[in-house]
Structures are given as C-alpha cells and as structure tokens.
Amino acid sequence: MRYRAPKGVHDIFSPDIHIWQRIELSAQELFKVYGYTEIRTPIIEYTEVFTRSIGEDTDIVEKEMYTFYDKAGRSISLRPEGTASVVRCYVEHSLYTLPSPQKFFYMGPMFRYERPQKGRFRQFYQIGVEAFGESHPAIDAEIISMLYNFLKKINLNDVNFELNSIGCQKCRTIYRETLLSSFMKNLDNFCPDCQRRYHLNPLRILDCKVDRCIEARQEAPSIIDFLCEDCKKHHEEVIERLSYLQIPYVINPNLVRGLDYYTKTVFEATTSNLGAQRAVAAGGRYDRLVEEFGGPPTPAIGFAIGMERLITLLKEVLDITINLPDLYIATIGEKSEKEGFQLAEILREKGLRVEIHYGGGSLRSQLRRADRLGARFVLILGEDELKTGMIKWKDLNKKQQGEIEYGNLPLILNLIKEG
Ligand code: HAM
C-alpha cells in the first residue's frame, strides 16, 4: 500500500527547504532589529478563541475550521491563523503588565479547509508579527515598512502595497447602514454568497471577486468618506508616514479583509503573479481584541505572510543553493574503510560536509556516486595508499587530481577548502 498525503497539504524537503530556511532566517534577523521576539503558541485552541475573534459569520469560521471534540467533549480547533492565539496568550499570561510595546513574531503551520488550488492549501505556513500597546499611527507605518523591507531583503520586488481604513465601530455602523441601502437597490444582481453576506456581513461584499458583484457594487459608497475624525486623522497620518519613508502604496477602498477583528488600518501586499490568490501578506490593526479576550483596552497591530505564496514567487527569481558534500571518501578494502570512517568524523568536526561509502563496491561505482551526490572533492583510500602514506585526491569541479600526504590533516583541509 502506498499512501499519499491528504489533499491540500504538502511535504517540504530539499531543494525547496533551503529557500524556506533562508526566508525564516532573514525574517528572524530583520524582526529582531525592530524589537520582535519569537512566540510559540499551540497548534490547537478551544474553538471559541477563533469564533470570538475571527467572527462567526466569516468564511474561515463558517466553512474552513478543522474542529473536533476531544475525549472530554470540549470543542477544539486547529488554528486557522496566528493572531487569535497570540492575543489569548497575551491576556492569559498578563503580558500587558510588561512595558509597552510588546512585539512578537511566529512561524508555523495554519489549517483551513479550503478548496486547494495554486497558492491555497489546507495546511499552509505563515510568518506573522503582532505588536501590542501602541496606538500611534506611526507604528502602522513602521510595521508596513518592516514588511516592505523584509520583502526587499529577500529580493521580492514585484509586490504592491494596498491600504485602507475600515474605521472603528462608530464609523462602521453608519457606513454599514449606507452600504445596505446602496446594495438594496440591486441586490438581485449579486452572487448568492453576497446575497447571504448582505444580511450577515455586508462589508465583505466589497471584497467579492465574482465579476457580477464587481459590476454591481460600482456605485457603493467608500468607507473613507465615513471615517470619524479620530479614524480619519489616524489614516492620514499613516499615509503621511508611509510617504515619508518612501514606501509605495495604493489606497484600495474595497480592501476589507476576511476576519472581523480589524479596526482602522488594514493592508495587503499583493502581486499579479499568483493567479487568483493575490495576497502574499496581509494584516491590520485590531484595537478591541485584547479587551474582548478579557484584557485591558490595548491597541494592537500585525500581519502574516503566506510562506507558500512567497516561495512560489521567489522560485522564479532565485538560484537555489543546495548543501552539497564538500568531500566524498572512497575506500578500497575493509581496513581503509575503517580509516575513512574515522577520517570522516575528524573532518566533520572541522565543519566539512563529508559522505563516505560503506561496505565494499568498486572504485568506479563509488566515484559515480560521488558525482551524482554533487561532491566537490574525492579522497581515495586504498590499502596500498595507506601503506605508502600518500593518498589520491580528485577535484570533481575543476577536473584535477593529485596525491597528498595522508597523515597531514591541515594540508588535506587546506586542499579541500581551497578547492
Ligand atoms: P489572512 O489574510 O487570513 O490574515 O492570511 C495572511 C496570509 O496567509 C495571506 O495573505 C496568504 O498569503 C496566506 N494564506 C491565507 N490562507 C492561505 C491558504 N489557504 N493557503 C496558503 N496561504 C494562505 C491572517 O491570517 C491574519 N492573522 C493576519 C494578521 C496578523 N492580522 C493581524 N495580525
């Protein structure tokens, strides 16, 4: 019986894993400079952590959560995103008592039961950041700038920044009413999903990608015109700071995001190179969530990057460097195999990646194997060579060969490193 991984999930191994590791390292280095420390929350949470924060009427909660009952009958869900868990952790451990702002980053798998397609999986990885305790619009610009710098650092230049403000509860209530009466006029022209959203979550209609909905909502009012004084000022200041940092962006009044916890600033980093799944990263402010989870009123903002989408884009522009063996030790005879076995350990201790052939085989087949593994260098240990103290070496890249004194480790090391 040959098994397959479940639909919509995937294995990650060499050579792709090298890009994954490089990205993760770049993120860690950059986020550290901005004051973020790693946070690791569980993959599972009580389901309510997600339903309360992401929202009962969102696609994620309605259709996409992996939810089950544990043996004690409690409803548990695999995390569909990271923000809710980080907020739960922040409140549970009273991290708000620490000096503000508290900044965290995380990396790991998320789970959504979506229809798999290019850039959309059921298990996917996010790198996310969350900053708590700063209400000033400058941190909105700072966090967008950090994302911008990160994408630049990993050489992903073809990305657009889309920005919007969805206001606070006060401005959104008035906007929602106006939106409802605007859509009411031609509700039949919208797709069945949007007709349902009309009653549950009308702002989401703005984000629908179906052609007839794009057409039908052309006359819809823009949320920007409904922002209260405070939200408007906040939005303008974010824009001013972004311009100050020379970060290119466009205002997209239809950007509303698919999670309910957002307030004021929302943003996405998008690309046209990913088909229908345009967002490489997305985030925004969520000033009410800590309080809803039982903590004190605490402003917060964050974003998450979709790793698979990032990797797909990067593969188009990157040469993947694979960790190939520095040295392959070919041996002839039992005695020299034992010698080689020991030599391999000594050279690995010096930081070389060494492969060795165990248990017989012709020299020819060993050399072929060294070549297929991509080894740069081969040392050949035969019984005769060991007796004379001079062993053969081959540089497979430069197609050169020679002899070297077997007992002289510094010389051997030098030869391989210089090669
Ligand atoms: P999100 O927009 O749901 O936001 O996801 C963020 C990113 O994760 C997306 O832009 C996309 O790149 C990636 N992503 C989402 N779903 C999938 C999928 N099924 N397959 C592959 N990639 C996917 C959040 O998750 C928020 N927690 C972001 C945030 C952090 N907001 C504030 N802080």
Side-chain angles (χ1 to χ4, degrees):
M1 183 67 193
R2 287 167 77 102
Y3 294 106
R4 284 171 157 271
K7 202 173 159 192
V9 310
H10 52 100
D11 304 302
I12 311 156
F13 45 88
S14 182
D16 284 11
I17 194 73
H18 302 291
I19 314 186
W20 284 72
Q21 289 170 339
R22 203 192 302 175
I23 291 176
E24 286 165 1
L25 193 66
S26 296
Q28 281 178 19
E29 283 168 2
L30 186 76
F31 296 167
K32 214 166 86 181
V33 176
Y34 281 85
Y36 289 76
T37 56
E38 188 176 358
I39 186 166
R40 297 188 191 187
T41 60
I43 303 275
I44 54 169
E45 296 279 351
Y46 291 126
T47 301
E48 215 186 316
V49 169
F50 302 119
T51 49
R52 276 288 298 276
S53 53
I54 298 168
E56 299 271 3
D57 303 323
T58 57
D59 284 354
I60 296 180
V61 167
E62 249 190 2
K63 309 183 208 161
E64 297 168 4
M65 288 234 286
Y66 280 89
T67 299
F68 59 95
Y69 289 95
D70 69 7
K71 291 194 196 308
R74 286 170 295 231
S75 182
I76 302 279
S77 293
L78 301 188
R79 60 181 186 193
E81 58 107 51
T83 311
S85 305
V86 175
V87 173
R88 194 266 310 138
C89 168
Y90 181 80
V91 175
E92 181 174 341
H93 300 282
S94 308
L95 300 181
Y96 45 77
T97 56
L98 301 172
S100 286
Q102 285 292 314
K103 298 170 168 180
F104 305 100
F105 77 86
Y106 50 88
M107 303 176 177
M110 309 292 161
F111 304 83
R112 295 184 194 176
Y113 192 81
E114 296 202 75
R115 196 165 53 77
Q117 54 178 270
K118 188 179 178 196
R120 194 201 263 171
F121 304 97
R122 289 185 174 165
Q123 175 174 334
F124 60 97
Y125 287 74
Q126 283 187 347
I127 299 182
V129 303
E130 314 291 348
F132 294 92
E134 180 59 82
S135 60
H136 198 284
I139 200 165
D140 305 31
E142 179 192 291
I143 216 166
I144 294 172
S145 172
M146 184 169 84
L147 176 58
Y148 176 79
N149 288 332
F150 171 67
L151 297 174
K152 214 164 66 178
K153 181 174 172 169
I154 59 170
N155 286 325
L156 204 66
N157 300 313
D158 199 9
V159 175
N160 309 308
F161 278 80
E162 300 184 21
L163 183 75
N164 196 19
S165 170
I166 55 168
C168 60
Q169 265 184 325
K170 209 166 59 182
C171 25
R172 223 176 308 158
T173 310
I174 307 168
Y175 177 61
R176 192 174 181 276
E177 289 309 315
T178 320
L179 206 56
L180 283 174
S181 54
S182 156
F183 290 151
M184 186 61 186
K185 286 181 256 162
N186 59 346
L187 195 56
D188 291 347
N189 295 347
F190 288 91
C191 73
D193 263 351
C194 280
Q195 295 193 22
R196 215 170 35 85
R197 286 180 188 130
Y198 179 83
H199 300 286
L200 297 172
N201 202 344
L203 258 74
R204 294 285 293 140
I205 295 178
L206 294 172
D207 194 34
C208 180
K209 306 288 183 300
V210 176
D211 284 345
R212 59 191 271 203
C213 301
I214 297 173
E215 175 76 21
R217 66 168 183 245
Q218 274 190 352
E219 306 281 292
S222 166
I223 180 121
I224 300 283
D225 299 328
F226 289 79
L227 296 182
C228 65
E229 268 316 300
D230 179 40
C231 290
K232 191 161 171 251
K233 196 160 160 278
H234 188 100
H235 183 54
E236 282 168 359
E237 196 148 335
V238 176
I239 288 174
E240 191 199 298
R241 299 262 174 165
L242 286 178
S243 308
Y244 193 64
L245 292 175
Q246 298 190 329
I247 294 176
Y249 65 87
V250 291
I251 301 286
N252 175 359
N254 288 337
L255 181 62
V256 285
R257 309 279 298 119
L259 306 97
D260 277 357
Y261 47 64
Y262 291 111
T263 50
K264 296 184 179 166
T265 308
V266 288
F267 57 93
E268 286 190 353
T270 58
T271 167
S272 50
N273 301 338
L274 279 174
Q277 309 307 319
R278 294 168 56 248
V280 183
R285 194 169 258 290
Y286 50 96
D287 287 346
R288 293 182 42 80
L289 196 53
V290 172
E291 204 177 347
E292 273 186 30
F293 273 31
T298 308
I301 183 165
F303 67 73
I305 303 164
M307 276 295 273
E308 287 77 2
R309 297 186 191 178
L310 205 62
I311 303 282
T312 307
L313 293 171
L314 275 177
K315 272 164 97 171
E316 287 167 16
V317 293
L318 260 191
D319 275 341
I320 309 171
T321 44
I322 310 171
N323 174 20
L324 299 173
D326 297 305
L327 173 68
Y328 188 95
I329 301 178
T331 64
I332 308 158
E334 206 177 312
K335 192 157 168 266
S336 56
E337 191 222 83
K338 282 194 183 136
E339 274 293 325
F341 178 65
Q342 198 183 20
L343 179 65
E345 288 293 278
I346 293 169
L347 292 174
R348 284 175 187 140
E349 223 173 82
K350 304 280 177 204
L352 292 185
R353 186 187 151 185
V354 184
E355 296 292 339
I356 175 168
H357 183 78
Y358 294 128
S362 69
L363 180 60
R364 226 176 107 174
S365 70
Q366 291 185 56
L367 290 178
R368 205 175 323 125
R369 194 157 155 229
D371 196 39
R372 289 188 57 196
L373 282 172
R376 218 160 33 82
F377 236 86
V378 183
L379 286 184
I380 302 168
L381 304 191
E383 313 265 307
D384 290 346
E385 282 89 344
L386 289 177
K387 269 190 211 133
T388 60
M390 291 300 282
I391 55 169
K392 293 202 177 75
W393 58 264
K394 276 177 185 289
D395 184 328
L396 298 184
N397 282 3
K398 292 190 186 153
K399 309 261 181 280
Q400 288 172 350
Q401 55 187 4
E403 281 193 332
I404 191 163
E405 206 182 317
Y406 180 60
N408 196 336
L409 195 62
L411 208 63
I412 296 179
L413 270 175
N414 220 17
L415 178 74
I416 299 166
K417 284 190 174 154
E418 303 271 292

